[in-house]
Amino acid sequence: MSWSPDQELVTLTTGQQSIIMMTKDFEPITEVPIHQEDFGEGKFITVGWGKKETQFHGSEGKQAAQKRSTEVLPAVAWDDRKPRVTWRGDGQLFALSAVCPHTGARKVRVWNRECVLQATSETINGLEQALCWKPSGSLIASTQRHPNKHSVVFLEKNGLLHGDFTLPIHKDQARVRELLWNSDSTVLAVWLEDMKPGEDGHTNTQIQLWCVGNYHWYLKQSLRFGAGECVEGQCVEGACVSPSASPSPVCVCWDPERPLVLHLLTRAWSCLTYRWGWATDRSHGDGPHDNANVAVIDGDKVLVTAFAQCVVPPPMSSFELQCPAPVAMVTFCSEEGRPNDLAALTDDTRLCVYRQGEGGASASAAGGFKTITHPPELSNTYRVELGGAGPLGLRLVVWIREHSFLGVTDGEHLDQSKVLLLKPSTNGSTLEISSEVCVPGQVISVCHSGRSNTVLLQLEDGQLHKLLWEGCELATVPWTNSRGSPVNFPQPCEHTALCSVSGEEYPLGLTDRAHLYLGDTELASGVSSFVVCDDFLLLTTHTHTCRCLQLNAHTTRGLVSALGSDGGQNDETLRRVERGSRIVTMVTHDTRLILQMPRGNLETIHHRALVLAQLRKKLDSLKFREAFEVMRKQRINLNLIYDHNPKAFLENVEMFVKQVDSVNHINLFLTELREEDTTKSMYPPPTHCPPAPAPAPPLASAPGHSGKKVDIVCDTLRTTMEQLNPDRYCLCILTTHVKKTVPELETALQKVHQLRVHPAGSAEAVGAEEALKYLLFLVDVNELYTHSLGTYDFTLVLMVAEKSQKDPKEYLPFLNMLKSLEPNYQRYTIDTHLKRYSKALTHLSKCGEEHFPEVLNLVKDQQLYKEALSLYAADSPQYRELSGAYAEYLVERGQAEQAGLLLWRCGELGRALQAFVGGVSWRHALSVAMQMSLPPDQLALLARDLAEKLLEQRRYTEASVLLEQYAKDCEEAISALITGAAWEEALRLVHLYSRQDIIETNLKPALLEAYSTQALFLESQRALFTRHQSRLAVVREEKEKAKLEMLEEGDCGEVELYSEASSVLSASQTGSRYTHSNSRISARSSKNRRKAEGKKFSLKEGSPFEDTALLHALTHITHTVDKMREEVQGLLKALVLFQYDDQAGALQRDYSLLLTLIESNIPHIWTQHTTNTPVTGPNSTANSITASFQQQRAPPTGQQDTEALTPPKMRTTVKWKLSVLD
């Protein structure tokens, strides 16, 4: 009888060789015979491609066609002839193994859920009764006895064989009672019984646990049981505690929920529960001699691979250690200096100790190969006496010192464990218990740190204890932190390690549910594996990433934050890996990290965080060559050599050149140079690292160096290489010229030309042809041809042209024409052709006066007036003509005053006067007019003309000077002063020229009119200020309400939109339409950008930037009113003088009230909400603090926005009031 996995159906096999299918309520559904002639619904289809005799038979040859079918052998004698049923994990199919009544051999048939035959297996001689379908559904496991071996075979659901592996037993030594897959299909348990009883008459039983990796089956555990009866059996997790030999099991089954938990029921009515966990046995050394060994258990062999020397894919290995019995566990020595020694515990409680083979690297005479490491050699074999303990009585073994082992076994009671300190006996054949201590609870893991000699014990409930083992007796104390508080894992962890964080030692654990704990703090979830090495924590996650964090640079909170972040674009701690990758080991003092994929193959990666950390150490210690090699292999940008510490690099350039010692490598470094600082863009230091000393900027990197980074590096390297060996580093020197910000191609070409004219005699020197070919590799040939032409060296031009793809018919006529010209005119023609007009002007100016018209045309066309004036003497006619042309150019550009100065200094007085008048430079104009000795009438006419222009520009005081002193018209001068409200100056001229009549006719009416105008203006400004202030209060209240509504809804992302500071940057939800349209407009044209900018200061009610516009308007009113102090004071004085006290008093009172109104309201208008200061304090909430910090992170506002948000300053120190009016 067998139930389906979903417990909905049950199948029964009867003695009449039939199958009965029933429901869970035992209601029959159908009954079919077991033995059917038909193959089943999955019968193979033959397409009829020829006969068997004519088909290809591979290595067997044509004799295979005539081979007769082998005779079918009946089942073995001990077979119970009973049918066996096994279901697939999804309950859709089940397999049945039964003995055929015709042949006597077993056959496997596959049926579906409706009890319809699907397939029948092929004839398999020696097929045994054991049968188990893999829960994942891919294979059916059974056993087969061959003439020379005993195998576990696998069948597909169509009945065909699909792989096998051989059991490590003799042919007739044992029989297989059952095969059992665990719930996740990772482990296959083989239950064996000896065919013959032993010397004591008891039949021994053995349970083997097999798992597969990379298509190889590994025997991981072997449990041996005797047949003795036990009255005092006990149920213990992990081992059997019995005073006599371990009784053999009568029932074996896997736990349905916990995949690696196995339950056994023995003949002594005792229940045993074994719990395993996956672990990677790796060496724990921190020194350079650690080979990064990883051991894999495979039956009675230990497969060891030294990953520091080579990466060998499984199932192969570097070394294979043969043990006398199946191995139960492996432990590496934790003592410093012996990281490659290991010990293997066999299932018969023998401990085999292997030590690293002696001998250094040796070379083979035949092939030249050398041995870089030697296999471990068997040093000792100890027997561990535990006093009749059952299988896995010693369930944990840790090698802590050369002659000291820690072991864990069961205590006297079910809830106890014993920790044993084992040391070799005097005869050296056994391990004796030197000391022991009882621990309340089941110890499930032991972890030892070679650095601190700390031993960590973990109990099954996650409790942590520290084992004190260096004294005379073992003792345990609870694990505590630096504050003395106990520390425990919240959940039991399968993998544990010890690490140091911020100088304190912490336990690190990973649960079977992928939670990673540092003490009692959860660092991350979804973690699949981790390793601690060289102060780095490396872990892989279920999101297919590998994280690498430097422990000594983080706190506990920093680790949680770093592992919780998604990582930015250039986050060096994060790397994507293949799905399902797990960490095998990491090579000490290296960057190699070994990962294993789900299918079993290995992959070596160099994590970027490890690479960069190693590079920073090498650069700090000035190991430039080693750093350069690592950067080349790992494709790190070579700019990091300089950017890591510019000052140190520039001070040790000679060391860099000598260490690299390769022209090609130096050229590679030079060609990768760019202005970008890679320590800020590509390789920023980890966010949570302690702040390192900031590297000096390029301008202060070394004495005497200034400019851009590329230029500094090129110049420094070139100087150093020229001092060391200019012949050897010739190509590097050329690269320094070409790579500069402004390439010095002409200088590089000159050096190539020198190599042709004066070739170097040293063996390391390069020839001109090679140097030119290298330059053409760096620079486009057309560009190089152009620059060679600019050297005016036709030999060099021809040398470059010959290397190009140019047709000689293109450049030879042009070069011949140039050779026929006068040298200066020749260079002028070349410079004009190359559009180097400044140089062309210099050479053309040397060609003589007959070419001056060409000079003038070139100056006008290319606007080279300044350069041209510097080429001629100030008293020359060419200088005068150029000055005139320059003056015309300045007048066209609206700079008439400067044009007049040029004309004045070269003696062109008439044109200078005209220019000064056009520019309203009246003082210069009158000075020129006096120098020209103009008649008085013309001088007066000139003064009136200038005065009219000044009046148009509201320069009343200057116009009055012209009218009074040069036009001799005092009345017009006084009128101009009255118009310009210059009351005091107007009174002076009135009394100077005795024109008191003007006081009554012009001055007093103007005073009253000015009073009326000022009074109306002040009233309008007062009303406008009050209206804007009231509207601003309303707008702020509305936005505060909207902000509170958003906070109540939990949306804090746009809280900053409802403040004056941030409304400049982005609109609220009601105004998001305007923000988006503005962003689109800003990308079109400057005109539209100005239009969009103007919308920010729109006072239209409801606009998204209304609050900012109101602040801008209030700022403008404040500045306008404040600037009136001097003007109001002058008007008050004039009104008092002419006894207009009432008007003066009213004006002073109104102006004073307006100033007081503005000054008193400035603190209320420009509040703290208009600044970006974070709001913190006892009255702050989490939402308000978040919103204020979001505002602080906003980008900077424009200049006009900043002025509007800044409170205006009033000029309170200016005294404008008249005390006679108070």
Side-chain angles (χ1 to χ4, degrees), residues 282-286 290 447-449 451 495-501 505-509 516-518 523 529-539 547-552 559 583-589 593 610:
R282 63 174 73 94
S283 57
H284 309 288
D286 292 333
D290 182 19
C447 180
H448 176 242
S449 172
R451 289 185 177 181
H495 308 281
T496 57
L498 290 171
C499 63
S500 178
V501 178
E505 195 169 28
Y506 282 89
L508 195 64
L516 182 66
Y517 291 101
L518 185 69
L523 293 184
S529 62
F530 77 92
V531 68
V532 177
C533 187
D534 294 340
D535 293 325
F536 283 94
L537 170 63
L538 293 103
L539 55 90
R547 304 296 295 261
C548 178
L549 300 173
Q550 194 167 359
L551 293 173
N552 57 11
L559 288 172
I583 296 175
V584 176
T585 189
M586 175 186 165
V587 180
T588 310
H589 297 291
L593 181 67
L610 298 174

Side-chain angles (χ1 to χ4, degrees), residues 1110-1120 1166 1203-1208:
L1110 289 170
L1111 284 173
H1112 190 271
L1114 290 169
T1115 302
H1116 178 70
I1117 293 173
T1118 304
H1119 287 315
T1120 302
W1166 285 273
E1203 293 176 357
L1205 300 175
T1206 305

Side-chain angles (χ1 to χ4, degrees), residues 593-806:
L593 181 67
I594 315 300
L595 301 177
Q596 187 169 25
M597 307 303 112
R599 58 186 176 273
N601 61 309
L602 301 179
E603 181 177 325
T604 301
I605 66 171
H606 296 261
H607 200 289
R608 183 56 54 92
L610 298 174
V611 173
L612 292 177
Q614 186 185 68
L615 282 176
R616 293 180 181 117
K617 290 181 181 179
K618 292 182 182 300
L619 292 175
D620 288 337
S621 57
L622 302 180
K623 297 179 180 179
F624 293 111
R625 180 177 180 80
E626 296 180 13
F628 189 90
E629 292 297 333
V630 172
M631 295 172 82
R632 283 189 64 211
K633 292 178 182 178
Q634 303 304 325
R635 296 184 179 181
I636 303 295
N637 194 291
L638 296 177
N639 281 268
L640 186 62
I641 295 178
Y642 173 85
D643 295 335
H644 177 69
N645 193 335
K647 187 174 185 294
F649 177 82
L650 294 176
E651 290 176 350
N652 298 276
V653 168
E654 183 176 349
M655 183 185 298
F656 169 77
V657 174
K658 290 181 178 179
Q659 284 188 13
V660 175
D661 197 30
S662 170
V663 173
N664 292 334
H665 290 173
I666 295 175
N667 285 334
L668 181 62
F669 169 72
L670 288 169
T671 52
E672 281 201 19
L673 285 176
R674 55 188 178 189
E675 291 300 327
E676 176 187 0
D677 187 354
T678 54
T679 60
K680 296 180 180 179
S681 57
M682 299 177 66
Y683 312 116
T687 308
H688 303 278
C689 281
L699 294 178
S701 54
H705 292 88
S706 63
K708 296 184 177 180
K709 162 189 163 182
V710 176
D711 294 341
I712 292 173
V713 176
C714 289
D715 292 339
T716 308
L717 274 173
R718 181 173 59 254
T719 303
T720 303
M721 291 184 292
E722 287 176 348
Q723 294 174 355
L724 293 175
N725 191 339
D727 294 338
R728 181 186 180 190
Y729 299 111
C730 176
L731 298 182
C732 301
I733 293 172
L734 294 178
T735 308
T736 60
H737 287 295
V738 174
K739 189 58 184 175
K740 292 192 70 172
T741 308
V742 179
E744 299 173 348
L745 296 181
E746 296 178 8
T747 307
L749 287 169
Q750 290 291 351
K751 292 190 175 182
V752 174
H753 184 58
Q754 291 176 7
L755 288 176
R756 169 166 286 190
V757 177
H758 305 289
S762 63
E764 297 178 338
V766 297
E769 292 292 329
E770 184 180 353
L772 181 59
K773 187 182 296 184
Y774 178 71
L775 269 183
L776 291 172
F777 171 74
L778 295 177
V779 187
D780 180 67
V781 64
N782 295 320
E783 185 179 358
L784 198 61
Y785 173 80
T786 300
H787 282 83
S788 65
L789 192 61
T791 62
Y792 317 116
D793 188 340
F794 293 102
T795 305
L796 189 59
V797 175
L798 287 172
M799 185 175 64
V800 175
E802 290 172 357
K803 298 293 183 181
S804 69
Q805 300 295 326
K806 291 180 177 292

